[in-house]
């Protein structure tokens, strides 16, 4: 096998979190805002959440965008960044991250729970985690 010509997957969903190290304060809101501007300018589908950002699209575009986010934070004065990243790919079907959330929300709605969760939803989670 010629590994040099092995292609990357065509598309992916990545969840990443840039962790600036050694900043003057514990807040990273300015860094997060700068990265979100970059995400918007990219034209890729993305969603910010409390502990990072999910982005989807062509493999090369997604991984390049995460690298650009790293560079952007460095250019804003952060000298050290540790990045956590998960990348998922599928070969059996095309699925978008928003569809995954919608599917789980519909399951919760079918059980009589609101999609935001609550005490009853937490009880169901505990039941699902117990060994069978």
């Amino acid at each position: 096998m010629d590994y040099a010509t092995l292609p990357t997957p065509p598309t992916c969903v990545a969840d990443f979190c840039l962790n600036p190290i050694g900043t003057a304060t514990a807040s990273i809101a300015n860094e997060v805002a700068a990265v979100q501007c970059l995400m918007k300018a990219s034209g890729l589908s993305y969603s910010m959440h409390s502990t990072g950002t999910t982005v989807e699209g062509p493999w090369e575009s997604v991984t390049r965008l995460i690298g650009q986010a790293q560079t952007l934070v460095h250019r804003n004065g952060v000298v050290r960044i540790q990045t956590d990243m998960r990348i998922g790919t599928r070969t059996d079907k095309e699925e978008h991250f928003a569809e995954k959330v919608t599917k789980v929300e519909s399951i919760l709605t079918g059980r009589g729970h609101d999609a935001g969760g609550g005490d009853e939803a937490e009880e169901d989670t505990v039941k699902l985690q117990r060994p069978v």
Side-chain angles (χ1 to χ4, degrees):
M1 174 181 276
D2 181 7
Y3 294 114
T5 61
L6 190 64
T8 58
T11 61
C12 68
V13 176
D15 191 71
F16 73 100
C17 177
L18 302 178
N19 301 293
I21 298 171
T23 57
T25 70
S27 175
I28 58 168
N30 289 328
E31 289 82 0
V32 171
V35 169
Q36 293 308 302
C37 290
L38 174 66
M39 294 290 121
K40 185 174 183 175
S42 75
L44 296 177
S45 295
Y46 70 96
S47 177
M48 180 182 72
H49 52 84
S50 64
T51 58
T53 300
T54 302
V55 60
E56 68 183 2
W59 179 278
E60 271 41 345
S61 299
V62 168
T63 55
R64 177 176 169 77
L65 185 59
I66 293 170
Q68 289 174 320
Q70 191 109 355
T71 298
L72 179 63
V73 174
H74 278 307
R75 286 188 177 174
N76 285 342
V78 177
V79 297
R80 186 173 177 203
I81 305 165
Q82 192 74 30
T83 300
D84 296 324
M85 180 170 41
R86 283 186 315 212
I87 299 178
T89 59
R90 289 193 75 150
T91 59
D92 60 331
K93 67 179 183 176
E94 183 176 315
E95 184 177 51
H96 302 284
F97 67 81
E99 294 169 345
K100 294 177 181 185
V101 172
T102 300
K103 185 174 183 177
V104 172
E105 287 174 345
S106 71
I107 292 169
L108 291 173
T109 300
R111 290 183 181 172
H113 303 298
D114 67 9
D119 291 340
E120 292 179 35
E122 289 174 16
E123 288 176 16
D124 284 346
T125 301
V126 172
K127 289 176 188 172
L128 291 172
Q129 292 176 350
R130 290 188 185 135
V132 184

